[in-house]
Amino acid sequence: MKTFWVDRDHDRYEHLVRAHAGGFTYTLGDIAPVAFACAAWTFATPPILDPGYVRWHRRVLSATCSRNPFDGGLTARVELVSPLPAELTTTRAWWRDRGWRGWPELFGQFVQPTDRDLSRNPHLRTTLLLEAPLPLDGLPEAPEPDTGPDDLALAASRAVAVLVRDLADLVGPVVQQLDTDRALS
């Protein structure tokens, strides 16, 4: 099961990086690869690139990377669609015939309820917030300020590939368990 993967349309992502190289200016020449990797991730995911160069499992609502202000490390923040906790599924007494709804699905994707949906029924949508450090191993060095746009795009693609690998390794088992639990219920 794939949790995170790269859409192999490199030209689209690399073209975006070349066209918006100024968005990487603050990261160039940094001694650590963190800021550059975070910028590369931001350009590879919605809303900047939609559909994203990075794709993810239907349970993933958002995935961001940031520099940890404590130690300068790389922190991932991933929001996942989750089933209701067991405490809410053992009895439905709390429903009181109000017609509660969970996560709407459209073509197999979890989506936010529309304003129309919310005007008709109450919704209870549960999520999990996963925040974790990511290793810096394998991330390319932040390019130098005089790096050309082609080399910048290539380094950004490499950084994204490493982040995809590490996020898939971190989040994959959680998503797999959520899908297994759903199949059991």
Side-chain angles (χ1 to χ4, degrees), residues 112-126:
Q112 302 291 336
T114 65
D115 290 336
R116 181 178 181 180
D117 294 336
L118 292 172
S119 73
R120 295 180 175 179
N121 296 97
H123 285 72
L124 180 61
R125 296 166 291 148
T126 53

Side-chain angles (χ1 to χ4, degrees), residues 1 6 13 17 26 64 75 80 87 89 92 95 120 128 134 163 166 179 185:
M1 168 193 54
V6 171
Y13 176 65
V17 170
Y26 73 98
T64 59
T75 300
L80 301 171
E87 293 81 2
T89 60
R92 300 251 171 157
W95 280 49
R120 295 180 175 179
L128 297 174
L134 291 177
L163 292 173
D166 292 344
D179 280 352
S185 59

Side-chain angles (χ1 to χ4, degrees), residues 21-81:
F24 289 88
T25 302
Y26 73 98
T27 71
L28 302 179
D30 195 333
I31 193 168
V34 175
F36 180 75
C38 291
W41 182 263
T42 299
F43 275 89
T45 57
I48 292 184
L49 191 58
D50 196 7
Y53 173 60
V54 172
R55 302 295 181 96
W56 46 61
H57 188 275
R58 67 191 205 100
R59 285 195 180 278
V60 178
L61 295 175
S62 65
T64 59
C65 295
S66 62
R67 181 184 290 221
N68 185 314
F70 175 73
D71 65 359
L74 182 58
T75 300
R77 179 183 169 99
V78 181
E79 188 177 16
L80 301 171
V81 169

Side-chain angles (χ1 to χ4, degrees), residues 94-114:
W94 60 273
W95 280 49
R96 296 189 185 159
D97 295 328
R98 294 182 192 262
W100 285 95
R101 305 286 167 89
W103 280 98
E105 291 184 49
L106 182 63
F107 301 114
Q109 289 296 122
F110 292 104
V111 296
Q112 302 291 336
T114 65

